[in-house]
Amino acid sequence: MDLDSLTTTSGEWLRGNGPESDIVISSRIRLARNLAQFPFPNRADDAARTEIESLLKDQLFDLAVGTRLSYVDVRTLNDLDRQFLVERQLISREHAESHGSRGVGISSEENLSLMINEEDHLRIQVLHSGFALDDCWKQIDQVDDAIEERVTYAFNDELGYLTACPTNVGTGIRVSVMLHLPALVLTKEIQKVFQALHKISLAVRGLYGEGSQAMGDFYQISNQVTLGKSESQIIAELKDVVPNIINYERRVRDALIQENRQGLHDQVSRAYGILKNAQTITSEETMHLLSSLRMGINLGLIDDLEIPTVNELFIHTQPAHLQKIRQESLESSERNIARAGYLRLRLTDDDDDRE
Amino acid sequence: MKKCSRCSKPSTLHITEIQEGVAQELHLCESCAKQYLAAPEPMTSESDEFAEKLSESVSEEESESYGQLVCPNCGITFKEFRSQGRLGCPHDYNAFAKELTPLLENIHGETQHVGKCPKRAPEASQKQYELIKLRGRLRAAIDEEDYEMAARIRDEINELEDEVHSSGDDD
């Protein structure tokens, strides 16, 4: 796969038109799987890791799942390309920063990725735009079945799929929904959401899942329990809980508009103004302002910009994406200038393109 | 017992923080730990968080007795598992069953899988675990340049792999 070509596109999951896509950015399901006859990656030496990689890679190539997979050898990539794949949500940070033989199979629509030699031998991930957990499950279940016909997974009747970390054992499933919750953050109501989710054993994380902080008011809600519940029960739990958070966010947005429409309109318009005109801007400020802008579009306060463009800007203004787009390595201060330039170009271009 | 990294009180919480791939050990007393946990530090990976919780939950005396436990297939000790939060091979779930059960109950509230099962169940799981052990021995023999031994183990592995494959491919 030519990673450079990805800088001109954005993943299918960013198209911003799935169910509830004003608040739900994306739905993701991942399965952790291991081969029965090898030690887990952290305990496997270089030779074993290479054997695991080539065995699984061979199986991926003739995987009949209705989509073509490209294989990227993560070991041979430079740091920038690895970071790029992390920003793209195609590999985890742990996979990028790990060592030894490892790689990832990626579908052309970027909604399926198969990480080899991450924490487990195989991490299958499916990512869809909007609130679409059933679609994710349907696809990932098929991919899992297709792989399982070719290899022997580590599994036992009592504990289910055996994983490197006992927090994943059983189904090996992690079901996550990425939510944009600017109004709950603005009114500090988000703390109540966290507390409520914590009580029912759901985890809240930032934009890039594990090991990231919530930036730009994006929160990933996911299950923690993987044993003693079936996949469909776990998915059903998320499907029960997430609409409550969506409604909560919408109610707070409506209240904000009613109480202080002008103030909110001002905040959103200022965010748009800075993004269109800044000469240097940090990643953090960009995320913050894009978040305001995104809410403004959804509330009808801004009408000359569309959600998919904003979704794409979130990803394309990240450090590795910027450097890939510019095809040069940039220091932090240079990136801030390049980021501002890219935002001016994209936001002004979009104005001109609109008819 | 180590002293708290932030004050001079004895430490009760031992944390391995991994930031940008660099591991840093922190030993904290109860009050500093509370402060530390309340601060919005960058989150670590789920497994690292789990390893932290593990080291909090096990006393030093307990860890001494656990330390002796070793998986006969991959050679990981229970102590190593506790510090890393990651097991060494699928067989560890048998080798450390007694110690893992309360942990699993604690994490998941249940200890019986009720979800999806592979259609091709690995009936010969004992043979699969044996393969892990043999592969480890093969590498050790090669490292020691004992090629005669390595060749014997290689034959054993091939034989076992054939058995596993023939039992798996019933169709």
Side-chain angles (χ1 to χ4, degrees):
Chain A
M1 173 173 265
D2 176 16
L3 291 188
D4 291 334
S5 70
L6 291 182
T7 58
T8 57
T9 62
S10 60
E12 185 269 354
W13 60 274
L14 275 173
R15 71 179 200 275
N17 59 353
E20 319 287 3
S21 57
D22 53 335
I23 289 164
V24 184
I25 307 285
S26 59
S27 304
R28 183 183 80 116
I29 296 186
R30 76 112 167 96
L31 296 175
R33 298 287 187 256
N34 288 280
L35 301 172
Q37 70 274 34
F38 288 95
F40 294 133
N42 66 309
R43 195 78 190 169
D45 59 18
D46 283 348
R49 286 178 70 105
T50 306
E51 208 176 329
I52 293 159
E53 191 197 9
S54 75
L55 200 153
L56 281 172
K57 197 170 114 182
D58 286 350
Q59 306 308 324
L60 300 188
F61 277 125
D62 63 341
L63 206 58
V65 288
T67 179
R68 207 175 60 84
L69 287 176
S70 307
Y71 192 76
V72 178
D73 183 345
V74 175
R75 181 186 208 166
T76 61
L77 294 182
N78 60 35
D79 287 346
L80 182 63
D81 283 341
R82 283 180 199 159
Q83 182 57 32
F84 178 76
L85 289 175
V86 175
E87 288 175 6
R88 206 81 181 175
Q89 308 224 355
L90 293 170
I91 66 172
S92 63
R93 251 174 37 158
E94 179 164 350
H95 200 230
E97 290 165 2
S98 172
H99 61 90
S101 297
R102 65 197 189 282
V104 59
I106 301 169
S107 71
S108 49
E109 304 84 7
E110 287 183 56
N111 57 14
L112 169 67
S113 87
L114 296 108
M115 278 181 272
I116 297 177
N117 281 334
E118 207 247 21
E119 182 179 300
D120 294 292
H121 294 148
L122 185 64
R123 288 271 176 112
I124 313 169
Q125 171 189 271
V126 165
L127 201 58
H128 282 237
S129 180
F131 194 30
L133 289 174
D134 290 333
D135 293 343
C136 289
W137 172 248
K138 205 174 145 194
Q139 187 182 0
I140 205 165
D141 190 30
Q142 278 176 1
V143 173
D144 184 44
D145 286 348
I147 297 170
E148 184 236 304
E149 276 176 21
R150 296 160 166 86
V151 300
T152 307
Y153 282 152
F155 179 91
N156 82 37
D157 289 338
E158 197 191 340
L159 293 176
Y161 294 92
L162 305 176
T163 52
C165 185
T167 53
N168 295 312
V169 78
T171 52
I173 200 172
R174 187 76 71 230
V175 183
S176 323
V177 179
M178 178 93 70
L179 301 168
H180 183 220
L181 306 172
L184 290 175
V185 175
L186 202 66
T187 54
K188 300 196 168 52
E189 294 287 302
I190 195 83
Q191 294 303 332
K192 288 185 198 163
V193 176
F194 287 176
Q195 283 160 10
L197 290 172
H198 188 74
K199 274 188 195 154
I200 50 170
S201 293
L202 294 178
V204 185
R205 285 164 198 282
L207 180 57
Y208 287 97
E210 292 181 12
S212 76
Q213 283 176 299
M215 285 201 296
D217 312 323
F218 290 107
Y219 292 91
Q220 196 163 278
I221 317 283
S222 52
N223 69 301
Q224 282 186 303
V225 167
T226 55
L227 184 62
K229 285 179 185 168
S230 68
E231 293 80 357
S232 56
Q233 280 175 303
I234 292 167
I235 292 166
E237 268 177 17
L238 267 285
K239 280 171 66 181
D240 275 351
V241 169
V242 169
N244 291 317
I245 307 175
I246 296 174
N247 290 336
Y248 197 1
E249 168 71 18
R250 280 193 190 133
R251 277 207 309 278
V252 176
R253 283 184 189 187
D254 289 347
L256 282 175
I257 274 262
Q258 272 174 14
E259 279 165 25
N260 186 5
R261 185 182 181 94
Q262 200 167 23
L264 202 63
H265 199 169
D266 183 64
Q267 185 205 315
V268 168
S269 305
R270 279 169 188 269
Y272 200 10
I274 295 172
L275 288 167
K276 268 187 185 177
N277 292 290
Q279 299 296 310
T280 169
I281 192 164
T282 63
S283 175
E284 201 182 331
E285 189 182 3
T286 306
M287 293 290 276
H288 181 68
L289 297 173
L290 283 174
S291 172
S292 275
L293 194 55
R294 195 177 188 283
M295 176 172 68
I297 298 170
N298 282 325
L299 290 176
L301 299 171
I302 286 182
D303 54 14
D304 64 346
L305 196 64
E306 285 174 5
I307 291 292
T309 310
V310 180
N311 284 358
E312 197 178 296
L313 286 176
F314 274 112
I315 302 297
H316 283 190
T317 55
Q318 303 276 324
H321 268 75
L322 265 186
Q323 294 175 79
K324 291 288 284 179
I325 291 165
R326 293 284 296 254
Q327 295 183 315
E328 58 183 333
S329 145
L330 302 168
E331 296 294 320
S332 165
S333 60
E334 297 170 320
R335 283 203 300 272
N336 292 344
I337 295 170
R339 183 176 297 112
Y342 182 72
L343 284 164
R344 287 200 307 273
L345 180 77
R346 287 295 306 273
L347 292 173
T348 323
D349 263 354
D350 271 55
D351 278 355
D352 295 344
D353 289 347
R354 217 153 294 281
E355 288 170 27
Chain B
M1 185 174 280
K2 284 195 171 119
K3 280 186 180 172
C4 174
S5 319
R6 296 192 178 172
C7 66
S8 54
K9 288 184 214 158
S11 63
T12 51
L13 193 77
H14 313 284
I15 292 174
T16 305
E17 183 164 287
I18 299 179
Q19 261 184 315
E20 292 171 353
V22 183
Q24 195 198 354
E25 276 199 348
L26 267 175
H27 306 278
L28 300 171
C29 70
E30 203 173 345
S31 62
C32 290
K34 268 189 193 151
Q35 226 178 354
Y36 172 84
L37 292 173
E41 292 287 327
M43 288 187 271
T44 48
S45 86
E46 283 168 28
S47 305
D48 293 330
E49 281 173 28
F50 172 67
E52 279 176 30
K53 282 185 197 150
L54 266 182
S55 52
E56 282 167 45
S57 64
V58 182
S59 71
E60 285 190 17
E61 301 90 88
E62 277 178 296
S63 89
E64 283 307 306
S65 61
Y66 282 178
Q68 316 303 323
L69 282 168
V70 185
C71 168
N73 285 81
C74 71
I76 197 173
T77 63
F78 192 73
K79 205 172 172 182
E80 283 174 278
F81 157 65
R82 252 196 47 225
S83 67
Q84 298 160 5
R86 290 165 180 84
L87 294 160
C89 79
H91 186 259
D92 293 356
Y93 284 96
N94 297 348
F96 305 143
K98 200 169 127 249
E99 291 71 23
L100 281 175
T101 304
L103 267 177
L104 293 173
E105 262 168 13
N106 197 299
I107 304 165
H108 302 286
E110 295 284 343
T111 56
Q112 179 63 54
H113 174 61
V114 294
K116 183 175 177 176
C117 299
K119 286 171 198 73
R120 232 180 61 145
E123 286 158 21
S125 60
Q126 202 46 53
K127 286 176 190 162
Q128 306 279 2
Y129 300 145
E130 186 68 17
L131 274 171
I132 297 173
K133 188 160 72 182
L134 284 173
R135 286 198 169 98
R137 279 179 50 205
L138 173 67
R139 267 168 225 124
I142 293 168
D143 284 347
E144 285 163 21
E145 299 186 6
D146 186 348
Y147 298 113
E148 207 174 311
M149 172 71 86
R152 272 206 302 276
I153 299 172
R154 180 83 263 179
D155 292 344
E156 262 186 82
I157 290 176
N158 288 340
E159 211 171 296
L160 205 54
E161 273 186 333
D162 286 346
E163 282 177 39
V164 169
H165 284 147
S166 59
S167 67
D169 297 333
D170 290 339
D171 46 328

